[in-house]
Amino acid sequence: MNFKKGSHNCITDIAGVQIGHVTLYEKLDEEQTICTGVTAILPHKGNLFRHKVHAGSAVLNGFGKTAGLVQINELGLVESPIMLTNTFSVGSVWQGTLDYMLDTTEEIGDTTSSINIVVGECNDSYLNTARYPAIKPEHAVKAIKSASTSPVAEGSVGAGKGMVCFGYKGGIGTASRIVSHKSINYQIGGIVLSNFGKRGDALFARWEPVQQDTPDGSIMMILATDAPLLERQLQRLAKRCAAGLGRTGSQLANGSGDIAIAFSTANKVPHASDSYTQTVDYLRDDHPLMNQLFQAVVEIIEESVIRSLQMAETTEGRKGRIVTKAPL
C-alpha cells in the first residue's frame, strides 16, 4: 500500500507544526568556509513548556551528541522546540533555545522546574570549518522566531547547508502521508537531516562507487502526527524509521548517529494543573491504523532522504571541496 500524500507532502501538513531555518555560508579565506546552519521544529504555535506534547525517541546507532533524549524517554514529553545543527554547535544552539524559552516563559527556573532543551546534530565538517564557532545562540533564537507553517524549504538550507548524503549534497528533506480507516483520518509527516552513506550504498539509484574521504555521517529524523498516541507508541513509531532508512541503503554504520524523535499534537499536556490525574484518548495498539502509521513512517523516511538530495544544490566548502547535486 502506498498512502496518499499530504497537501504539501511536508511535515507542516500536520496542523500547528512549524519549521524555521537559519543558513550560514561565507568563504573566510582560500582554506576555510562557514557552511552550516540551524533548523527549528515547533510542535505547535503555543508555549511548548506550558503545553507539552507526548513524544518518544529511538537511537538506532548512537554515534551522536544529541541533547535532551534522556528526559524524553523518561517522561515522554517534549517541552521545547526541537533543534537541529552541526556537531560542534549543540552547545550554542542549546543555549540560544534556553534563552528563548526563558524570555517567553518567566516561571522556568523560578516558580517551577527546569526545562528540557532538545538538540540533534550531524557532522558537517567535510564542507564546514567546524573549528570556527560560526553558530551563536542568537541563530537558534532566529530560527525559532522565523518558524512558520508554510511548506518547508529543503536541501542545502538550515542545518542541512553543509551535509553530505551518499557522496552527494544532502541536507533537509520532508514528506507526509494520510492514513485512514472508515471515517477516521490522521496525518503523519517527517523531516530529516541527511548526512550519511557512500555512493555505492544507495538502493534507489545506480551510482558507481567512488573513492571518498567523507566520514560515516549521521541522520536526524523527526516525526509529527495528529494521531492520538502515547509516548510508548511514539517510541514504537520512531523505531520504524530504521526500516525507511534501510530502504535507502543505509547500513547504520559504526560511526553514524541515526536518531529519531516522534511527537503527537493530539493531546497537549499542561505543565500546571489542579487535578492529580489526566485523562486522554489514544489509539489502540491493535487498531488497523497503527500498522498504517508504521508503514507510513517507512515511506516518509525513504522519500524524505531522497528529497533532501533532489532539493540540494552543488556546494563548495572548505579546502575547495565541492559536493555535487545528486543526478536525480
Side-chain angles (χ1 to χ4, degrees):
M1 177 187 294
N2 290 315
F3 297 103
K4 182 180 177 181
K5 298 180 181 182
S7 57
H8 295 106
N9 194 26
C10 175
I11 191 173
T12 56
D13 288 333
I14 288 75
V17 175
Q18 303 167 83
I19 305 293
H21 296 303
V22 168
T23 305
L24 303 181
Y25 184 77
E26 180 184 354
K27 299 289 289 184
L28 298 175
D29 54 40
E30 292 184 357
E31 287 286 307
Q32 309 304 331
T33 301
I34 297 170
C35 185
T36 191
V38 182
T39 294
I41 301 108
L42 281 63
H44 62 73
K45 295 181 179 180
N47 185 298
L48 286 161
F49 182 79
R50 294 171 182 156
H51 299 283
K52 312 173 199 300
V53 295
H54 291 287
S57 72
V59 178
L60 309 179
N61 194 67
F63 202 96
K65 288 77 184 171
T66 304
L69 293 188
V70 171
Q71 187 166 317
I72 287 179
N73 287 340
E74 182 70 22
L75 301 182
L77 298 171
V78 162
E79 58 184 13
S80 80
I82 299 169
M83 309 297 289
L84 304 177
T85 189
N86 74 61
T87 304
F88 287 0
S89 296
V90 169
S92 295
V93 170
W94 187 96
Q95 185 63 57
T97 307
L98 176 64
D99 292 345
Y100 173 83
M101 293 303 295
L102 292 177
D103 286 345
T104 57
T105 321
E106 63 272 9
E107 63 268 29
I108 295 174
D110 184 9
T111 59
T112 188
S113 65
S114 63
I115 183 172
N116 185 49
I117 304 295
V118 180
V119 186
E121 55 80 28
C122 291
N123 184 352
D124 61 10
S125 61
Y126 185 77
L127 289 175
N128 176 52
T129 301
R131 292 173 64 92
Y132 183 86
I135 291 179
K136 309 297 183 185
E138 55 262 34
H139 293 123
V141 176
K142 185 177 179 181
I144 295 168
K145 289 184 175 180
S146 70
S148 77
T149 57
S150 300
V152 176
E154 298 174 81
S156 310
V157 296
K161 180 60 181 176
M163 302 302 171
V164 182
C165 187
F166 290 114
Y168 289 108
K169 189 65 191 70
I172 297 292
T174 186
S176 68
R177 295 293 188 271
I178 299 170
V179 300
S180 61
H181 179 78
K182 297 181 179 178
S183 61
I184 305 170
N185 293 281
Y186 294 121
Q187 294 200 84
I188 179 169
I191 187 168
V192 304
L193 177 62
S194 70
N195 189 57
F196 68 95
K198 302 298 184 183
R199 189 72 55 87
D201 293 340
L203 298 178
F204 52 88
R206 294 184 178 181
W207 293 330
E208 292 297 323
V210 296
Q211 188 66 34
Q212 294 173 273
D213 57 356
T214 54
D216 287 339
S218 299
I219 184 169
M220 287 295 307
M221 299 163 283
I222 313 299
L223 300 171
T225 183
D226 57 10
L229 302 179
L230 297 178
E231 54 271 22
R232 174 185 55 78
Q233 296 171 310
L234 289 160
Q235 188 175 58
R236 298 183 74 204
L237 217 63
K239 290 177 181 178
R240 269 61 185 183
C241 288
L245 201 52
R247 278 192 182 185
T248 70
S250 169
Q251 300 160 12
L252 307 182
N254 173 69
S256 184
D258 308 291
I259 296 168
I261 299 171
F263 64 85
S264 168
T265 63
N267 294 303
K268 308 296 191 299
V269 180
H271 180 77
S273 175
D274 293 331
S275 175
Y276 64 92
T277 62
Q278 179 162 323
T279 302
V280 297
D281 290 325
Y282 65 94
L283 191 65
R284 287 179 56 93
D285 290 319
D286 59 358
H287 194 280
L289 280 168
M290 204 66 194
N291 275 334
Q292 288 191 36
L293 287 166
F294 289 160
Q295 184 172 338
V297 168
V298 178
E299 292 184 16
I300 286 166
I301 296 303
E302 180 185 27
E303 183 176 7
S304 294
V305 169
I306 294 172
R307 286 188 62 84
S308 74
L309 291 156
Q310 288 175 322
M311 305 302 289
E313 301 170 347
T314 296
T315 301
E316 181 178 353
R318 71 184 184 101
K319 297 185 176 181
R321 294 170 175 169
I322 296 175
V323 179
T324 58
K325 177 182 174 66
L328 291 173

